[in-house]
Amino acid sequence: MDYRALFISTSVKQDKDIIIITLPHAETLITDITRQWRTSKITNNIFREIKLSKLTIDLFFAVEIYYLISNLLDMKLKNRAKLSQSFINTPIKILKRIKEEFEKNTWLSSIFGNESTNLRLDLSLLSDMVFKPLDYQMGFLNYYSSMLTKYNLKGTLLYASPGTGKTFTSLAVATCLGKQVDHVIVLSPNNALFRVWDASLNI
């Protein structure tokens, strides 16, 4: 038995572009992940560094690790409730601690925080536009405004059927970004410019 592990507390810290997980017996957690998902590709590709009591990952893998830890915890709790043999050897208290630390001490805190998080768009600027967004277009604007901030994203993709107003919605986003952007670049095939846009604007 490695008695040094008894004096190692579990913590998660974000430092620039990495996240450091400190815990007793890091290899046990690695083994649990490998066993439950039946592959070593996850741990081989996600973890930048694996030491006796420290795991290091790149910042953008925070969601994946949080998912893995949450699932291990759920499986461990279900096994305990059924009084069945658990093949997850990482203690429940350590899994809970890691999960809580991710929610508090990494950029994931923006997801689990209150709804007063800063919104990406100033929707009041929609008053500057001639046309008003339809309900489904407004839904995308609300999604863009809140989810990009929560998930620390730089942008998102809008997929919609022809004629549903993708260009208008994109211009609405640009308008509501206000002074955050200097230029708006629109890439469009010529036939859309003349057969669709020009025809629509000159009705």
Side-chain angles (χ1 to χ4, degrees):
M1 178 178 181
D2 185 359
Y3 290 98
R4 290 177 299 174
L6 297 175
F7 302 97
I8 297 173
S9 60
T10 303
S11 65
V12 176
K13 180 176 71 172
Q14 181 173 312
D15 184 13
K16 296 180 181 178
D17 64 338
I18 63 171
I19 293 176
I20 302 167
I21 306 170
T22 303
L23 73 162
H25 302 301
E27 281 289 352
T28 301
L29 178 60
I30 296 298
T31 302
D32 285 336
I33 293 172
T34 301
R35 182 188 295 121
Q36 293 301 319
W37 278 270
R38 299 179 182 178
T39 179
S40 60
K41 290 182 179 180
I42 297 174
T43 53
N44 289 343
N45 290 291
I46 286 184
F47 291 101
R48 176 190 284 193
E49 183 181 43
I50 299 175
K51 291 189 174 181
L52 180 67
S53 58
K54 184 174 77 171
L55 302 171
T56 304
I57 64 170
D58 290 302
L59 203 61
F60 53 79
F61 282 132
V63 172
E64 286 79 2
I65 294 298
Y66 183 83
Y67 170 82
L68 294 172
I69 296 298
S70 297
N71 275 268
L72 286 175
L73 178 58
D74 288 344
M75 286 186 280
K76 184 89 171 179
L77 290 171
K78 286 178 182 177
N79 284 336
R80 186 176 70 173
K82 295 177 182 178
L83 300 177
S84 61
Q85 177 65 38
S86 173
F87 294 103
I88 301 169
N89 293 316
T90 304
I92 288 176
K93 65 178 181 180
I94 290 180
L95 293 172
K96 279 185 176 180
R97 180 70 174 175
I98 294 174
K99 183 179 179 181
E100 292 168 356
E101 289 278 298
F102 262 92
E103 294 173 358
K104 293 189 299 183
N105 298 332
T106 72
W107 66 265
L108 294 183
S109 62
S110 63
I111 300 173
F112 298 99
N114 56 45
E115 294 300 322
S116 63
T117 182
N118 293 328
L119 298 178
R120 190 70 61 91
L121 302 180
D122 182 357
L123 297 178
S124 68
L125 295 176
L126 288 172
S127 60
D128 295 337
M129 303 191 72
V130 175
F131 301 104
K132 302 306 175 188
L134 299 174
D135 289 344
Y136 63 87
Q137 294 168 334
M138 197 66 208
F140 177 79
L141 294 173
N142 286 322
Y143 169 86
Y144 187 104
S145 188
S146 60
M147 298 304 286
L148 265 66
T149 299
K150 283 189 173 185
Y151 285 91
N152 198 29
L153 302 174
K154 294 182 179 179
T156 188
L157 295 175
L158 170 60
Y159 173 81
S161 301
T164 55
K166 294 185 294 295
T167 302
F168 170 79
T169 305
S170 299
L171 292 174
V173 169
T175 298
C176 292
L177 284 169
K179 295 182 180 179
Q180 298 179 57
V181 294
D182 296 319
H183 299 85
V184 177
I185 300 174
V186 178
L187 303 178
S188 173
N190 283 334
N191 60 348
L193 287 174
F194 297 105
R195 285 168 38 189
V196 180
W197 293 4
D198 185 63
S200 298
L201 292 172
N202 287 290
I203 291 178

